[in-house]
Amino acid sequence: MEPFGLGIPTIGLFVGFGLLIGILFGFFGMGGSFLVTPTLLVIGYPAPVAVGSGLAFVFGTSVIGALRHRDHGQVSYTLAAVMILGMTFGIEVGTRIVFLLADLGSADVVISAAYVGLLGVVGLFVLRDARTDGTEVGTGRVATEVQSITLPPLVSLPGGATVSVWVILAVGSSIGVLCGCLGVGGGFLLLPVMVYGFGIPTAIAAGTSALQISISGAFGTFVYAQSNAVEIPVVAALLVGSGFGARIGAGATRLVNESDLKGYFAGMLLAGSVATASKQASAVYEVETLETVSVVLIFGTAALISGAIVRASIDSLGTDRQREPPWTH
């Protein structure tokens, strides 16, 4: 029996993996597409399908986040509107690049290599940040240099910043190309760009990022769906699981200290990089063991880190209860 073209065990696998990704999404505040797309590549889906399905997944998760931030007034609609114009253009360019690479027969190799590099570099930076307790010097200098570009028209942003529309469009287009090529929402780039580059408050940056990702993700999903490059049953199963997991992850954020959070995130990124590299190496050298290693790495790491988050939360709750005076029980 295969409802929606997937066997019951496969549906269960994707729902379970979605649950793990949901925990990570709720915990780290990112859509999780940077893990979904390489996972689909590792499983064996063609690159265009993996990218299109990754965009569809991030669209579904980001809509929920955008609505929550809107209720708290944490969205800059002016910045979102300008950035979305740039990202829409970039996604269209990125999509064309993917299908061109697919026609040339090199999409899987190029996109996998890009993921290996991207996840590895970001993972190492996050790991270094965790080991140095996040100590950084001169983060405001970048925002000052960006705001010194006074090419009109200019846009006033929350936090008192004034940024050129052309700068925002250029940044949006660049991130859009990355989204269209790799099937990521771009949240792990949008957030630091808006905070450190544009100088707006973190809460508003998070809300604006979620709104941008939901709209650009919808556009990207539509573009890929026109070429039948979105596996709707897979995306639906992932979203069902992630909806439950996100609640667990969001609650855990208040209970786990920041250095542990960064360490978990770095471990997940580095494991994703190694898993994607192993998958490509197995295809090139025809070593089935490497393919098994890639699957175990990407699923196992998600399970281990999600479990560690839940365990750390339970331990933290237990410690807090022991500290409470007996008459409060």
Side-chain angles (χ1 to χ4, degrees), residues 180-240:
C181 283
L182 301 182
V184 296
F188 64 99
L189 292 176
L190 282 170
L191 205 60
V193 162
M194 287 189 283
V195 173
Y196 299 118
F198 298 160
I200 67 176
T202 303
I204 295 177
T208 306
S209 174
L211 176 61
Q212 291 168 214
I213 292 170
S214 62
I215 295 176
S216 60
F219 175 74
T221 301
F222 172 74
V223 172
Y224 275 92
Q226 286 184 311
S227 300
N228 295 319
V230 176
E231 278 289 337
I232 295 177
V234 172
V235 175
L238 289 168
L239 286 173
V240 168

Side-chain angles (χ1 to χ4, degrees), residues 139-154:
T139 52
R141 184 173 57 199
V142 177
T144 301
E145 291 179 358
V146 170
Q147 293 172 35
S148 69
I149 302 173
T150 56
L151 185 65
L154 303 176

Side-chain angles (χ1 to χ4, degrees), residues 277-292:
S278 297
K279 170 64 178 179
Q280 279 306 305
S282 72
V284 173
Y285 299 107
E286 298 182 353
V287 180
E288 293 185 5
T289 304
L290 289 176
E291 184 170 356
T292 303

Side-chain angles (χ1 to χ4, degrees), residues 15-28:
V15 171
F17 189 58
L19 176 68
L20 300 179
I21 293 177
I23 293 174
L24 300 174
F25 160 63
F27 191 68
F28 296 118

Side-chain angles (χ1 to χ4, degrees), residues 11-27 30-33 35-36 53-54 56-65 68 233-251 306:
I11 292 176
L13 175 66
F14 281 120
V15 171
F17 189 58
L19 176 68
L20 300 179
I21 293 177
I23 293 174
L24 300 174
F25 160 63
F27 191 68
M30 297 182 183
S33 58
L35 195 58
V36 170
S53 300
F57 176 78
V58 79
F59 162 65
T61 56
S62 60
V63 166
I64 300 171
R68 288 179 180 173
V234 172
V235 175
L238 289 168
L239 286 173
V240 168
S242 68
F244 291 103
R247 295 179 178 272
I248 300 172
S306 298

